[in-house]
Amino acid sequence: MNTPDQSPLGKSSAYQSQYAPELLFPIARQQKRDELGLFADAGTMPFFGVDIWNAYELSWLNMRGKPQVAIATITVPADSPNIVESKSFKLYLNSFNQTRLAGPDALLALLRDDLSDGFGAPVHVTLTSPEAFGAIKMGELDGVLLDRLDVEIDGYSPSPELLSADDENGQVEETLVSHLLKSNCLVTGQPDWGTVQIRYVGPQIDQEGLLKYLIGFREHNEFHEQCVERIFMDVLRQCKPTKLAVYARYTRRGGLDINPWRANFSTGKPPNLRGARQ
């Protein structure tokens, strides 16, 4: 079983420029889910969702040796047994740089097979060609902006006790958003920056407490996917909404951004709109 400290993160790595699928480094999701009390063999998980990866640094050679470029979008189901460590993902993509392929379809086939094997479940992969770059849309996550609140912060680790909801005034339907999410890489401690959106139906969540809670991730070390699942479970347990969805858009590192979405009700596929900071 792979562990984060065994990954290529934080270590000198030779950049292979010929196809090398063995560079992918899977890490079991269950290791961190155990901390949250989520046991896959104990019944249905309290959420479903996807991780949306966008790969902006993707290139290969055609059969005449001419470089080709594209943007890849990889959608990974949240119930896949593994995540793939992001630096290993980058090294894997770089291994196509001097690899000759018959065309985009040949690249897609390799990406789908290799990444499905790494994540342990079928993944969806699409390529955007340079001719379509101009059609890529940008946009921000909608919602009431929590960052408007003038809060005083005295702690920078996740504190679920800050979360509360008013259950005396019935149910509300609300979407809240903050650009102040920052966590740190589980291995290197390097900063990860994100925008988080919380959609819910239930007792009205105290916005000041929620903002303080989110800012509390500022010195917390976890991968993107794990942070979003922690936020989901803490809000679910402390505020008891009947419906809940948490979506985070993280800024890219190494040409990759990772955007986890977790929900317990159907909201449709989350939009893959690149934010201003992405």
Side-chain angles (χ1 to χ4, degrees):
M1 183 180 294
N2 290 335
T3 58
D5 60 296
Q6 297 170 323
S7 78
L9 267 178
K11 303 170 186 173
S12 297
S13 303
Y15 281 79
Q16 297 191 42
S17 57
Q18 291 289 336
Y19 174 58
E22 66 275 9
L23 291 171
L24 291 170
F25 189 86
I27 299 173
R29 293 186 190 269
Q30 197 58 44
Q31 296 174 17
K32 272 293 180 175
R33 286 176 175 173
D34 286 346
E35 290 184 18
L36 298 176
L38 303 177
F39 305 108
D41 58 355
T44 305
M45 294 288 283
F47 53 69
F48 54 86
V50 292
D51 301 325
I52 302 172
W53 296 65
N54 294 300
Y56 300 100
E57 298 175 9
L58 177 61
S59 185
W60 69 101
L61 304 179
N62 68 13
M63 297 307 290
R64 293 172 57 85
K66 180 182 176 182
Q68 310 291 298
V69 297
I71 296 172
T73 298
I74 303 96
T75 305
V76 182
D79 60 1
S80 65
N82 305 321
I83 62 173
V84 169
E85 187 275 310
S86 61
K87 183 178 179 181
S88 78
F89 204 135
K90 175 187 176 181
L91 293 173
Y92 162 73
L93 293 177
N94 279 334
S95 78
F96 287 100
N97 290 350
Q98 293 300 115
T99 300
R100 297 190 182 216
L101 296 170
D105 287 344
L107 174 63
L108 267 176
L110 291 174
L111 291 172
R112 286 171 181 153
D113 288 348
D114 296 339
L115 294 172
S116 294
D117 185 57
F119 285 101
V123 304
H124 181 67
V125 185
T126 60
L127 296 179
T128 302
S129 65
E131 294 78 13
F133 285 173
I136 295 177
K137 295 181 179 180
M138 295 185 65
E140 299 298 328
L141 296 177
D142 66 292
V144 176
L145 185 64
L146 295 172
D147 308 344
R148 75 190 192 283
L149 300 172
D150 185 20
V151 296
E152 183 174 350
I153 307 297
D154 55 12
Y156 298 99
S157 59
S159 300
E161 63 272 13
L162 293 171
L163 297 168
S164 64
D166 180 3
D167 58 5
E168 295 183 357
N169 295 313
Q171 302 267 299
V172 301
E173 183 174 353
E174 197 168 41
T175 301
L176 307 171
V177 66
S178 173
H179 302 294
L180 302 186
L181 180 63
K182 174 196 171 286
S183 54
N184 300 319
C185 173
L186 180 62
V187 177
T188 66
Q190 293 299 303
D192 296 321
W193 307 92
T195 293
V196 61
Q197 178 193 67
I198 297 173
R199 295 185 185 273
Y200 75 95
V201 175
Q204 188 160 40
I205 294 175
D206 176 67
Q207 294 184 10
E208 183 172 317
L210 177 58
L211 180 59
K212 289 181 177 181
Y213 166 78
L214 294 172
I215 292 173
F217 278 80
R218 198 167 179 86
E219 293 185 347
H220 182 68
N221 295 347
E222 272 188 324
F223 293 139
H224 302 5
E225 302 93 330
Q226 298 161 351
C227 286
V228 169
E229 293 185 1
R230 185 175 296 277
I231 293 169
F232 184 97
M233 292 307 303
D234 284 347
V235 172
L236 186 68
R237 287 167 173 160
Q238 297 293 117
C239 302
K240 298 178 173 54
T242 57
K243 296 180 179 180
L244 177 64
V246 179
Y247 187 25
R249 301 284 306 185
Y250 279 91
T251 60
R252 73 179 80 169
R253 281 211 277 143
L256 290 166
D257 63 44
I258 311 170
N259 309 284
W261 173 72
R262 301 291 183 269
N264 64 5
F265 72 108
S266 179
T267 64
K269 183 180 179 182
N272 186 29
L273 295 177
R274 189 192 309 180
R277 294 193 297 166
Q278 292 182 300

